[in-house]
Amino acid sequence: MWENMEIGLEKASQEQLKQKPAQDSLGFGAHFTDHMFLMKWNRQSGWHDAKICPYHSFSLDPAAMVFHYGQAIFEGLKAYKGEKGQVYLFRPQENIERMNTSALRMCMPRLPLEKVFKALKALVYLDRDWIPTVAGATLYIRPTMIAVEPALGVRPSGEYYFFIIMCPVGAYYPEGFSPTKIYVTDKYVRSVKGGVGHVKTAGNYAASIMAAEEAHKAGYTQVLWLDACERKYVEEVGTSNIFFMINNELVTPPLGGSILPGITRDSVIQLARKWGMKVVERPVTIDEVIEASIDGSLTEAFGTGTAAVISPVGELCYKDKKYVINSGRTGLFSQRLFDELQAIQNGQQEDPFKWITRVG
Ligand SMILES: *Cc1c(COP(=O)(O)O)cnc(C)c1O
């Protein structure tokens, strides 16, 4: 079946080509490129009809199972442009592998890794003129799989679409780093061991919106999630993994089924260890973080994720009390990590871990 599946190519006509948005006001996720990748799955044929085609709308039956039972998974990665126009992807195979972990958990079909990797590279190459060249701006890539069989009843769908869409996005911090204010919620939880917190499935994000909205209304950028059982252990911040620098050790919660295994998280761990820093993956209680903030041993805190790469935390609010970290400024180590990762992603810095795939 898919082993010999060809990838079709249908290029957008002159009239279909879109006007590219101005690079200084890209925002995030607002503009989409000229092409997309699409392939379909059913029980008889497996994956089939794989093609790169003009970006277009779908017509779906209102009974399509994704609308009712939420079998939907996605990924997020970026393409970067180097100084001489080279095009790079950062650890792309790991996104496809992680999507297969998500697919397994959500009873969705496995993706053909090599085929999807080939399609991804071809799509990025075809739309390479959409990769912004201004500092810090990138092309965000969103692979997605949805259940499309028109049927009611809670069971695995018999039909799926897999697609990849892409959007140019502006620098996350156009005026340099600015640390975020984070609200520690003990009212809402994001995930629980045995659930789906470790997979990128759409329902996790739908379930998180209310906590984020309440945090925004109170003047905070995001929420910090605690474990669902005891509301005691730190898990993640918004849709990012979290790190603390305590007594000059980098500490992050261990992956245990309720935390998303971030690729940026793993990159930070590897880089910090290479620099000789002690990195410990262990349970961290919110009480320990607060105590360390009071006695001064907590010197930095930051989130990690593809969108912002490193997102310094300048303030925590827990049980109506505010705790300022590093006087609300970006820590030296956070800055160094950000600079190094960005330089590797742009091809400006040597890539000792072989994280970069060159596309064009
Ligand atoms: C995607 C995501 C992350 C970050 O993963 P990266 O691979 O580093 O982008 C962290 N937490 C959640 C909940 C996520 O959805």
Side-chain angles (χ1 to χ4, degrees), residues 163-175:
F163 56 88
I164 305 174
I165 53 175
M166 310 195 292
C167 46
V169 297
Y172 214 86
Y173 293 104
E175 276 118 45

Side-chain angles (χ1 to χ4, degrees), residues 98 190 200 205 236 239-241 260 262-264 304-306:
R98 186 168 67 187
R190 191 188 84 90
K200 272 181 129 66
Y205 306 87
E236 297 202 53
T239 56
S240 301
N241 296 110
L260 202 291
I263 294 164
T264 320
T304 65
T306 294

Side-chain angles (χ1 to χ4, degrees), residues 107-244:
C107 296
M108 299 168 87
R110 224 187 123 70
L111 289 166
L113 284 177
E114 282 307 313
K115 193 69 74 175
V116 170
F117 189 40
K118 200 171 137 190
L120 172 69
K121 288 186 287 186
L123 179 66
V124 170
Y125 186 73
L126 182 62
D127 277 350
R128 63 192 178 282
D129 289 348
W130 283 84
I131 308 175
T133 46
V134 300
T138 56
L139 186 73
Y140 186 78
I141 305 168
R142 170 53 58 87
T144 308
M145 195 196 301
I146 54 171
V148 298
E149 183 189 344
L152 298 186
V154 181
R155 58 167 174 79
S157 167
E159 296 168 30
Y160 296 89
Y161 283 1
F162 170 78
F163 56 88
I164 305 174
I165 53 175
M166 310 195 292
C167 46
V169 297
Y172 214 86
Y173 293 104
E175 276 118 45
F177 261 160
S178 68
T180 53
K181 290 168 69 183
I182 300 297
Y183 187 85
V184 183
T185 177
D186 51 10
K187 180 176 169 194
Y188 300 108
V189 294
R190 191 188 84 90
S191 87
V192 59
K193 286 189 176 64
V196 292
H198 61 301
V199 305
K200 272 181 129 66
T201 186
N204 283 340
Y205 306 87
S208 74
I209 292 172
M210 188 170 225
E213 282 297 288
E214 288 186 12
H216 295 162
K217 280 199 196 100
Y220 293 87
T221 323
Q222 258 304 348
V223 291
L224 189 137
W225 303 102
L226 302 178
D227 76 285
C229 298
E230 299 180 66
R231 316 242 167 143
K232 183 175 159 191
Y233 296 98
V234 171
E235 296 224 313
E236 297 202 53
V237 55
T239 56
S240 301
N241 296 110
I242 181 92
F243 284 83
F244 301 99

